[in-house]
Amino acid sequence: ALTLGGGSASASLFAGAAFGYQLLWVAPTAMLIGMVMMMAIAHQTLSTGMRPFEAMRSYAGVKFAYGWAIGAMLASIIWHFSQYALASVLVTEIASQADITMSKGIGGGIVLAWALLSSQLFASGSRGMLWFDRLLKILVWLIVLCFAFTVARTGVDWGALAKGIIPFRVPADAVDSVGATTSALETIVAGLGAAVAINMVFLYPYTLLARGWGREHRRLARFDLFGGMFVPYILATGLMIIATANTIYGTDQFVGKGFSPVQAAKVLSSTLGEGLGTGIFLFGLLGMVMTTITMHMVSAAFAISEMAGLKFGSRGYRLALLVPTPGYLGAFFWSDMAFYIAIPTAMLTTALLPIAYVGFIKLQRSRAYLGADMPTGRRGQAVLAAMVLGTLVMLVFVVIVLGPKLFQWFSDMTTTSAS
């Protein structure tokens, strides 16, 4: 739900509309980095059975443990604003399809009410929540299948695809129909952050423990990450980018920051028909957003609970679920840029991710923590090198993109103070 959610869908649709096939390499690269890290996390967690936050605090250092947990909480809060901006537009547009006039505030309020109910049901382990979760999964995969159908109908430019999957190719900034530019580097960083966020990294090892998995499940966990996360994510995001590139890229339908779900729905309506294509797109994307919002609340609550020593399902845990809810205000402030707002949001949360990655690199090298299970030899060195390389890639892109912005912000603040 966190991996293939509203953030990754927004980033993929925006990338395809703005840059065509040119950023197809971003999602596989980001997910490969995330998969390597999460395989290491799975090995550590399943080898020791120790709760990850306590392991990080005891063997990597207090600053990494709390940096990881606070980063996960902040990422969940930050992402909430963009999710509600998108959700409010989707709900109001669905209502308009039924000739119902609804404000974006009410549309966002409906999603907020759902999020409050679903997160509390999640905390109580409701079977009804499991069935609803399955329905949302069906909606998500229905929209993916429709994108596959659109790609089959519109064709694939194999030459452009071959160029688009070459890693680290940075295209020129895109110019929309009104002459405004969209930064390629910012879109790349957003794609890197939308694939695997720090709150997802926080929640993942706890799901392993909740399943009752142990040492004997380490190989299964590696396969699960490849077959259950990497492959579906690349398939889904790739189809979204190609379909959007085939139908929106290079046309006057791409209007930069104002690119909306209504315009994106034309990707499917062009092959499935106006009513059916628009309906499937809006409901499928809303399903992605709703599951993502719920899981962000769960991630924030887990992070707070680990820091404060709260039990799952306790009153304190249920209150912690509410921490990201101010994100509802996104429905009022950013709904006119419902897709684009995912770009700066993902950029900010990407900057938090290296904190966790460095902490897990330290744990991977800790004999005191892993004992005889510490990876050694060429295989262990290769895994460690991949973890370090992935962290450096994230850091380089974050510094290149966010560095100048932070410098400009500091300069403006200094100038204002001096004045």
Side-chain angles (χ1 to χ4, degrees):
L2 281 173
T3 309
L4 187 58
S8 52
S10 295
S12 299
L13 293 168
F14 194 86
F19 299 97
Y21 287 58
Q22 297 178 87
L23 296 184
L24 277 169
W25 64 268
V26 176
T29 301
M31 187 50 66
L32 183 61
I33 293 171
M35 187 177 68
V36 168
M37 285 293 179
M38 293 174 78
M39 282 183 173
I41 293 170
H43 176 81
Q44 295 169 14
T45 303
L46 297 179
S47 295
T48 65
M50 192 172 183
R51 293 185 72 81
F53 177 78
E54 183 57 34
M56 185 79 77
R57 183 168 58 181
S58 300
Y59 297 101
V62 172
K63 58 180 179 293
F64 287 105
Y66 281 93
W68 178 37
I70 293 172
M73 179 187 68
L74 289 176
S76 298
I77 296 171
I78 293 169
W79 266 114
H80 248 54
F81 288 91
S82 65
Q83 297 298 307
Y84 275 103
L86 179 56
S88 63
V89 174
L90 293 171
V91 173
T92 54
E93 188 58 33
I94 290 172
S96 70
Q97 297 292 316
D99 295 324
I100 299 173
T101 302
M102 182 184 296
S103 70
K104 292 183 175 65
I106 294 176
I110 291 173
V111 176
L112 175 62
W114 148 254
L116 293 173
L117 175 62
S118 64
S119 62
Q120 296 296 327
L121 289 175
F122 185 93
S124 63
S126 169
R127 291 185 62 84
M129 183 62 194
L130 293 177
W131 282 105
F132 197 84
D133 184 57
R134 290 171 185 169
L135 174 61
L136 292 177
K137 286 180 182 178
I138 292 172
L139 284 172
V140 169
W141 284 109
L142 179 61
I143 190 176
V144 172
L145 288 174
C146 289
F147 274 107
F149 178 76
T150 299
V151 169
R153 289 287 299 272
T154 57
V156 177
D157 184 338
W158 295 104
L161 186 146
K163 293 179 181 178
I165 61 176
I166 298 175
F168 307 117
R169 290 190 65 199
V170 181
D173 290 348
V175 180
D176 61 32
S177 58
V178 295
T181 59
T182 298
S183 169
L185 275 172
E186 290 182 6
T187 308
I188 289 170
V189 174
L192 293 174
V196 178
I198 189 171
N199 51 356
M200 176 180 167
V201 173
F202 193 92
L203 193 60
Y204 171 66
Y206 289 96
T207 68
L208 298 177
L209 296 177
R211 294 174 191 170
W213 287 12
R215 296 173 57 84
E216 67 275 18
H217 297 96
R218 291 183 297 186
R219 187 178 178 186
L220 175 60
R222 291 194 296 271
F223 176 79
D224 185 43
L225 285 168
F226 174 76
M229 183 181 74
F230 182 82
V231 173
Y233 186 82
I234 301 310
L235 178 66
T237 56
L239 288 171
M240 288 182 187
I241 291 174
I242 293 172
T244 312
N246 288 350
T247 55
I248 303 293
Y249 175 62
T251 71
D252 58 5
Q253 296 180 50
F254 177 65
V255 290
K257 295 179 181 180
F259 182 54
S260 69
V262 177
Q263 291 167 312
K266 295 177 181 178
V267 174
L268 298 185
S269 60
S270 62
T271 53
L272 298 176
E274 187 70 32
L276 180 62
T278 300
I280 290 176
F281 181 87
L282 295 175
F283 276 105
L285 191 56
L286 182 61
M288 291 183 181
V289 174
M290 290 170 71
T291 55
T292 302
I293 286 175
T294 300
M295 296 314 295
H296 280 319
M297 296 173 75
V298 172
S299 297
F302 259 103
I304 294 169
S305 296
E306 287 299 292
M307 289 187 287
L310 304 175
K311 290 184 178 181
F312 176 77
S314 65
R315 182 180 180 183
Y317 173 83
R318 291 175 181 273
L319 289 174
L321 287 167
L322 306 179
V323 169
T325 53
Y328 163 68
L329 295 175
F332 296 94
F333 295 105
W334 295 289
S335 59
D336 59 339
M337 53 178 75
F339 278 142
Y340 174 78
I341 192 62
I343 303 299
T345 300
M347 285 169 54
L348 288 173
T349 56
T350 303
L352 300 170
L353 195 53
I355 299 171
Y357 282 1
V358 173
F360 281 108
I361 289 172
K362 288 175 69 68
L363 289 180
Q364 190 77 357
R365 298 178 63 247
S366 174
R367 176 76 66 177
Y369 171 50
L370 291 173
D373 291 306
M374 189 181 85
T376 57
R378 291 183 178 179
R379 182 175 178 179
Q381 291 173 352
V383 171
L384 187 62
M387 294 173 72
V388 172
L389 179 61
T391 304
L392 289 175
V393 168
M394 302 292 284
L395 279 171
V396 167
F397 275 104
V398 166
V399 170
I400 289 175
V401 174
L402 290 184
K405 291 183 178 294
L406 293 174
F407 178 78
Q408 184 62 49
W409 175 78
F410 180 77
S411 299
D412 293 343
M413 290 292 290
T414 304
T415 302
T416 302
S417 299
S419 299

